[in-house]
Amino acid sequence: MRHSVYESLCLSHPQAFANVEDAMRHGGIQFCRSHPYVERSPRAHRNAMENVFPFILLGALYVLLAGPSPSVARAHFRVFAGARFAHLGAYLLSWPAPSRSLAHLVSLLTNLSMAAQVLWVAASEW
C-alpha cells in the first residue's frame, strides 16, 4: 500500500500521469508521460516481494525446526527488516550505487544463515 501512495504522490507532483484519462482530467494529453520515480516504485515492490516471501518461509521453518533462542531469532528478523527498509530507501531515493547492493547482501546473508541452521538441524536428525 505504501508503494501506491508513493506512486500517487510522484505522479501528481510533476503532473505525470500513466493513463490518458487521468492526464485529460488534470490538464491535457501532454501530461500523459512516464516519470522515473514512479517507474521505480513497482520495481521496488516487486523486489521486496521476491525477498520477503522466502524470508517468511525460512523464518517459519527456522523458528519451528531449528529452535533458536528468542534473542537470536529476533536479531535475524530485525536485521532482515532493517536491510529491506534500507534497500527500499536506496531504491526509491536513488542512493549511491553500493548501498542497494549492500542492503540486499545483508538480507540475503540473513536468509542464508537461517537456511543453514534449518538444514543443519534437519541433517542431524536424519
Side-chain angles (χ1 to χ4, degrees), residues 58 62 72 76 107-119:
L58 281 171
Y62 176 65
V72 173
H76 275 87
S107 65
L108 179 65
L109 291 174
T110 305
N111 277 344
L112 290 175
S113 171
M114 291 189 299
Q117 292 177 55
V118 167
L119 289 174

Side-chain angles (χ1 to χ4, degrees), residues 5 14 23 53 60 63 108 113 122:
V5 171
F53 290 136
V63 169
L108 179 65
S113 171

Side-chain angles (χ1 to χ4, degrees), residues 41-90:
S41 184
R43 288 195 311 259
H45 182 260
R46 209 171 22 256
N47 185 278
M49 293 302 102
E50 290 171 358
N51 287 277
V52 168
F53 290 136
F55 169 76
I56 291 171
L57 177 65
L58 281 171
L61 290 173
Y62 176 65
V63 169
L64 294 173
L65 299 178
S69 71
S71 61
V72 173
R74 197 175 309 118
H76 275 87
F77 299 156
R78 286 181 177 170
V79 167
F80 181 85
R84 292 311 307 167
F85 279 119
H87 186 274
L88 180 64

Side-chain angles (χ1 to χ4, degrees), residues 10-67:
C10 286
L11 280 170
S12 62
H13 180 65
Q15 288 197 321
F17 299 96
N19 300 316
V20 174
E21 58 272 14
D22 293 337
M24 294 303 289
R25 201 176 95 208
H26 293 285
I29 193 79
Q30 70 272 19
F31 296 115
C32 185
R33 58 181 180 236
S34 63
H35 191 273
Y37 287 111
V38 176
E39 293 171 8
R40 283 178 170 274
S41 184
R43 288 195 311 259
H45 182 260
R46 209 171 22 256
N47 185 278
M49 293 302 102
E50 290 171 358
N51 287 277
V52 168
F53 290 136
F55 169 76
I56 291 171
L57 177 65
L58 281 171
L61 290 173
Y62 176 65
V63 169
L64 294 173
L65 299 178

